[in-house]
Amino acid sequence: MESTATSPSLTRKAVDHVRDLIVRGELPPRSRVQEKQLCDMLGLSRTPLREALKVLATENLVELLPRRGARVTALDPKRLREQFTVIAMVEAEAARILCRSGTAEQIRDLRVIHDALKSAYVSHDPARYYLSNEQFHRAVVVQSGNETLAEIHAGLIVHLHRARHFALTMRDVNLEFAHDHDEIIEAIERRDADAAGRRMTEHQAGVADHVLAALRPVSTSAAKGACHED
């Protein structure tokens, strides 16, 4: 039996695992959450899993259905566009702060992540590129030292990662944005706050257009299918 003392850690384990499954598309949009399968997979009882689903509902990753369990939320293009816009604002401001007050060591660390990203681009390794890309953008925000920006970023970025994963399963991975990172890191190294913020904003606008264009046919199909749901 699971003790009350261990339940918070078990719930956190379930939250992290189920969120990851949703972000990577292994639990697709609009799919029902199969509690028994997940419990077997995670080695948990239904209690921590159901607590985890409540947490994920607050993150708008699942929808709790009265007496019918839970369902993964749909990808909403309008909401995603709004989230991309806010993320761009957060990352642009973080880049400007990093230019003004970041340490030389922080900027060197960011260059290391960028070089790993660039290496993945040159070797046409989409999986490694994608991971390095996530690390690069998160590092810009965290190293700015602004905890409020970091909290906003962490709360939103999971939805954009989910959308990108879903988009990238439907068309060849587009690595054309790698050169944007060159210009961003070079601007930060020059301590050019205006250029760094501008290039970050432009970069995220381009990514948003790419991801939302890839999602458009699926969103249309899903909307039609929703008409036939209970």
Side-chain angles (χ1 to χ4, degrees), residues 134-149:
E134 290 183 6
Q135 292 173 337
F136 180 85
H137 286 273
R138 182 63 179 158
V140 169
V141 178
V142 171
Q143 292 187 10
S144 76
N146 187 309
E147 293 183 7
T148 300
L149 290 181

Side-chain angles (χ1 to χ4, degrees), residues 26-141:
E26 294 186 31
L27 290 178
R30 298 184 181 275
S31 65
R32 290 293 180 92
V33 175
Q34 303 299 322
E35 291 187 8
K36 184 177 185 307
Q37 292 179 11
L38 285 175
C39 287
D40 291 344
M41 178 191 301
L42 301 175
L44 299 174
S45 74
R46 294 200 179 197
T47 299
L49 177 61
R50 287 175 175 170
E51 290 301 310
L53 293 175
K54 292 177 184 177
V55 174
L56 295 170
T58 67
E59 297 178 3
N60 197 35
L61 290 172
V62 301
E63 173 188 6
L64 300 179
L65 306 171
R67 297 179 299 280
R68 290 183 295 159
R71 176 171 57 199
V72 179
T73 55
L75 288 167
D76 181 347
K78 179 179 182 297
R79 185 70 179 273
L80 283 169
R81 175 69 74 179
E82 294 171 352
Q83 290 167 335
F84 267 113
T85 298
V86 176
I87 283 288
M89 294 168 64
V90 168
E91 292 186 357
E93 179 59 18
R96 287 190 285 265
I97 294 172
L98 194 54
C99 287
R100 292 192 292 263
S101 58
T103 67
E105 183 179 4
Q106 287 176 322
I107 294 175
R108 281 196 301 269
D109 289 345
L110 192 61
R111 164 58 76 173
V112 170
I113 299 172
H114 170 272
D115 288 347
L117 184 155
K118 190 66 176 287
S119 174
Y121 167 72
V122 171
S123 61
H124 300 283
D125 185 341
R128 190 159 60 94
Y129 177 89
Y130 189 85
L131 178 60
S132 297
N133 179 71
E134 290 183 6
Q135 292 173 337
F136 180 85
H137 286 273
R138 182 63 179 158
V140 169
V141 178

